Amino acid sequence: MSKKSRKKRQKKAFPWVFVILGGVLITGAIFLFTNTSNEYSGGTPVIAVEEQNVDMGYIKLGETRSLNIKVTNTGDGLLRFKEKPYVEVLEGCCPPQLSVGSMTLKPGESTIVQSPPFMMHEGMDGKHDFAIHLKTNDSENPDYLVHVLSDWGP
């Protein structure tokens, strides 16, 4: 066989096996990723907390406290936090940082929104009113608020 005919033959051969294999892999990946997230897609998520108004009462300066808010999905769809829960100061100062155990809750599941131990010292005394924002995909309560009151003094 001449060199010319070998080059023609090599140009005609197309790696169909790799094209088919790639198509099968892409189709499988699409199937896996779309099916895992749609398990509860037809339902409606509903956010619920044990206490919407928390009154920590009078606390002596220098003592530590922490916040623990249990959040439950009482609906029949996936509840997703749109962002990490955060504190808005309505009165007082120095809000604690918050963390959340899970950003996604299946129906019936719960998680805890919590703060590390925090305290107030001299100059930070007085009444504090914190609004904790729980922004989720609950269409009835997209920005659920939990109010935390405290009064710090000597």
Side-chain angles (χ1 to χ4, degrees):
M1 209 183 261
S2 69
K3 286 184 180 181
K4 255 187 177 180
S5 63
R6 270 193 249 153
K7 283 185 180 180
K8 277 186 182 179
R9 193 170 194 195
Q10 286 176 349
K11 286 183 184 178
K12 289 182 184 179
F14 190 78
W16 287 106
V17 173
F18 293 115
V19 171
I20 293 169
L21 184 60
V24 168
L25 288 173
I26 289 171
T27 304
I30 290 171
F31 178 76
L32 283 174
F33 286 114
T34 56
N35 272 353
T36 56
S37 64
N38 289 336
E39 188 177 350
Y40 301 99
S41 64
T44 304
V46 178
I47 188 171
V49 297
E50 287 182 336
E51 287 184 82
Q52 190 171 6
N53 295 300
V54 178
D55 189 347
M56 299 173 78
Y58 181 82
I59 306 165
K60 288 186 176 185
L61 294 173
E63 288 184 9
T64 59
R65 293 290 188 270
S66 58
L67 297 172
N68 290 296
I69 301 164
K70 184 177 180 181
V71 179
T72 303
N73 179 5
T74 59
D76 58 3
L78 278 178
L79 180 70
R80 290 187 174 92
F81 284 91
K82 291 182 178 179
E83 60 186 81
K84 182 180 156 194
Y86 65 92
V87 179
E88 175 187 8
V89 177
L90 301 177
E91 182 179 3
C93 67
C94 313
Q97 293 295 313
L98 300 176
S99 63
V100 62
S102 178
M103 293 290 284
T104 304
L105 299 175
K106 293 178 184 174
E109 284 187 335
S110 297
T111 191
I112 302 293
V113 174
Q114 62 186 0
S115 74
F118 65 97
M119 66 172 217
M120 302 293 170
H121 54 77
E122 193 173 320
M124 300 166 70
D125 52 337
K127 295 186 184 291
H128 290 72
D129 184 0
F130 297 149
I132 297 175
H133 291 263
L134 306 172
K135 293 190 176 189
T136 67
N137 63 333
D138 178 341
S139 60
E140 296 292 318
N141 294 298
D143 187 8
Y144 196 93
L145 294 179
V146 175
H147 287 276
V148 179
L149 301 171
S150 59
D151 187 9
W152 297 76

